């Protein structure tokens, strides 16, 4: 039986991973702590560790894992910008991920955020609960006929595009690796500058890489329409938060919807309701009436969690038994 340390684990992680640990082939140990330089000592005695989006898997952590005899790091997510692939190869630690768990889950959440902003559902909900049925201040706008720019046309981007086309939107896309199937749907590829200048709404669905870090910054905002709507359900680092605050204050940005945040690792997935949040940028964002933020829950559906658990466990068992794994990235 292989011992696996599961970091950043919540009750739902434990529930689904234990449910699909068929036959008990893996001895799962759950830690609420994030994997980091301060907590890596917890991995002693394990053959594999399982991590999530905000765990730190840098050179130092991987070196320590190698010293402890850890052979596999399994990400129960698709992105791996929090991991040093070069170091993983150096220390001969195999890295696997869940490349696709439910593109529709994130896509539907993206459009849900957009609809919430466009029709002010969140404000209407609280008004009605207080028996206030006045419509003043709740005027929205149609999605039908709007030009929506989608940056990143992988599986999640494509799922989002299909939904938006159903609303009657014109969809302009940017991706350095175009999807040949996309244009048959009715969307079209444009340059990034054209996407910025022509879009009423911009939705981010690309991975975080050195090339995409702060793809939305002050220079990008200057090219956009006044009143542009920006939605980010991908990775927080795609957006320069200081530039976004400037855009909100100048009214260049009409509405902002976020499910991710650049410094979310100190905030998201935790109950901080009795604490004082020390992140001044995040608290400033919360003061704007045209900003709607959710705490990285785009992936959080039953269907997605089932796929994440099944794929993660299969990845770990496959690699620890010395077999080839389709989801190996290093």
């Amino acid at each position: 039986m292989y011992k696996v340390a599961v970091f950043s684990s919540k009750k739902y992680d434990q529930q689904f991973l234990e449910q699909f640990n068929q036959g008990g082939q893996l001895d799962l140990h759950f830690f609420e702590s994030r994997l980091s330089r301060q907590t890596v000592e917890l991995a002693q005695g394990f053959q594999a560790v399982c991590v999530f989006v905000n765990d730190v898997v840098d050179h130092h952590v991987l070196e320590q894992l190698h010293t402890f005899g850890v052979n596999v790091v399994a990400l129960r997510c698709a992105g791996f910008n929090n991991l040093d692939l070069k170091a993983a190869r150096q220390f001969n630690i195999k890295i696997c991920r869940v490349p696709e768990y439910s593109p529709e889950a994130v896509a539907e959440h993206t459009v849900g955020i957009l609809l919430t902003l466009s029709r002010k559902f969140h404000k209407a909900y609280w008004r009605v609960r207080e028996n206030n049925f006045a419509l003043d201040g709740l005027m929205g706008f149609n999605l039908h006929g709007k030009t929506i720019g989608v940056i990143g046309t992988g599986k999640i981007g494509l799922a989002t595009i299909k939904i938006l086309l159903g609303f009657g939107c014109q969809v302009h896309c940017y991706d350095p690796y175009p999807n040949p199937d996309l244009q048959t749907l009715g969307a079209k590829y444009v340059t990034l500058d054209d996407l910025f200048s022509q879009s009423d709404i911009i939705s981010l669905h690309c991975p975080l890489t050195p090339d995409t870090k702060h793809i939305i910054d002050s220079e990008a905002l200057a090219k956009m329409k006044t009143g542009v709507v920006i939605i980010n359900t991908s990775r927080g680092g795609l957006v320069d938060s200081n530039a976004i605050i400037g855009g909100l204050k100048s009214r260049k940005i009409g509405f902002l919807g976020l499910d991710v945040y650049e410094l979310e690792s100190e905030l998201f997935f935790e109950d901080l309701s009795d604490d004082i949040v020390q992140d001044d940028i995040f608290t400033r964002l919360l003061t704007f009436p045209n900003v709607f933020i959710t705490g990285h829950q785009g992936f959080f559906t039953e269907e997605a969690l089932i796929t994440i658990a099944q794929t993660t466990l299969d990845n770990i068992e496959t690699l620890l038994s010395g077999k080839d794994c389709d989801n190996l990235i290093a």
Side-chain angles (χ1 to χ4, degrees):
M1 182 180 293
Y2 302 112
K3 292 183 65 177
V4 181
V6 183
F7 286 89
S8 295
S9 65
K10 303 298 181 186
K11 290 182 179 179
Y12 46 84
D13 293 307
Q14 185 169 347
Q15 173 191 341
F16 282 90
L17 286 170
E18 287 184 337
Q19 177 182 347
F20 292 100
N21 186 21
Q22 302 294 338
Q25 294 298 314
L26 300 177
D27 182 14
L28 303 174
H29 293 251
F30 297 92
F31 299 99
E32 291 187 16
S33 307
R34 287 187 292 123
L35 178 62
S36 67
R37 296 187 178 194
Q38 291 72 40
T39 63
V40 68
E41 298 291 331
L42 294 171
Q44 292 190 64
F46 292 90
Q47 287 81 51
V49 299
C50 180
V51 299
F52 198 46
V53 293
N54 291 323
D55 289 289
V56 177
V57 198
D58 60 13
H59 187 283
H60 176 84
V61 169
L62 286 163
E63 185 175 21
Q64 287 295 103
L65 292 176
H66 173 68
T67 301
F68 299 153
V70 172
N71 299 313
V72 172
V73 173
L75 294 98
R76 54 186 191 275
C77 55
F80 47 91
N81 55 280
N82 57 329
L83 188 144
D84 187 333
L85 288 178
K86 183 178 179 181
R89 296 186 182 101
Q90 176 184 341
F91 297 117
N92 197 30
I93 296 176
K94 291 180 168 49
I95 310 294
C96 55
R97 63 172 180 148
V98 183
E100 177 184 343
Y101 38 90
S102 178
E104 291 75 21
V106 182
E108 290 169 11
H109 192 75
T110 299
V111 178
I113 290 176
L114 178 54
L115 285 169
T116 298
L117 289 169
S118 70
R119 301 308 302 268
K120 300 181 174 62
F121 291 148
H122 54 316
K123 296 183 179 182
Y125 171 78
W126 286 111
R127 281 198 188 186
V128 170
R129 287 180 63 86
E130 296 174 353
N131 297 326
N132 179 357
F133 306 105
L135 298 182
D136 302 277
L138 296 181
M139 184 179 294
F141 59 88
N142 289 3
L143 296 186
H144 181 86
K146 294 293 188 296
T147 298
I148 302 188
V150 175
I151 300 177
T153 56
K155 294 181 184 298
I156 294 174
L158 188 61
T160 305
I161 289 165
K162 290 178 180 178
I163 298 173
L164 295 173
L165 289 172
F167 276 94
C169 302
Q170 296 182 10
V171 180
H172 292 181
C173 308
Y174 172 79
D175 195 312
Y177 305 99
N179 185 334
D181 298 327
L182 186 142
Q183 289 177 286
T184 61
L185 298 174
K188 69 174 183 178
Y189 282 103
V190 297
T191 66
L192 188 58
D193 282 351
D194 283 346
L195 185 146
F196 286 151
S197 64
Q198 297 170 7
S199 299
D200 302 301
I201 300 161
I202 294 174
S203 189
L204 301 173
H205 299 283
C206 53
L208 178 60
T209 68
D211 291 332
T212 61
K213 182 177 174 64
H214 289 179
I215 194 170
I216 304 297
D217 58 9
S218 297
E219 184 178 345
L221 286 172
K223 300 173 183 176
M224 297 178 192
K225 294 182 178 182
T226 298
V228 65
V229 180
I230 297 175
I231 310 291
N232 185 13
T233 57
S234 186
R235 286 291 182 267
L238 299 174
V239 172
D240 182 337
S241 300
N242 286 307
I244 286 293
I245 288 175
L248 288 163
K249 290 172 66 177
S250 69
R251 300 186 183 275
K252 182 73 171 184
I253 299 173
F255 296 93
L256 174 69
L258 302 176
D259 186 49
V260 290
Y261 171 62
E262 192 166 11
L263 301 177
E264 69 176 56
S265 62
E266 301 302 320
L267 301 172
F268 289 1
F269 306 114
E270 305 297 335
D271 181 358
L272 304 178
S273 55
D274 291 328
D275 295 336
I276 296 175
V277 173
Q278 299 297 317
D279 189 324
D280 292 342
I281 294 176
F282 186 79
T283 53
R284 181 69 177 101
L285 285 171
L286 292 178
T287 66
F288 292 97
N290 52 345
V291 172
F292 183 71
I293 301 175
T294 54
H296 206 138
Q297 71 178 81
F299 77 99
F300 199 58
T301 66
E302 181 178 357
E303 293 84 354
L305 288 175
I306 289 173
T307 300
I308 289 171
Q310 291 176 325
T311 305
T312 299
L313 293 170
D314 183 64
N315 287 344
I316 296 171
E317 287 188 39
T318 299
L319 288 174
L320 288 178
S321 61
K323 300 176 184 176
D324 292 334
C325 177
D326 292 337
N327 300 320
L328 188 70
I329 56 175

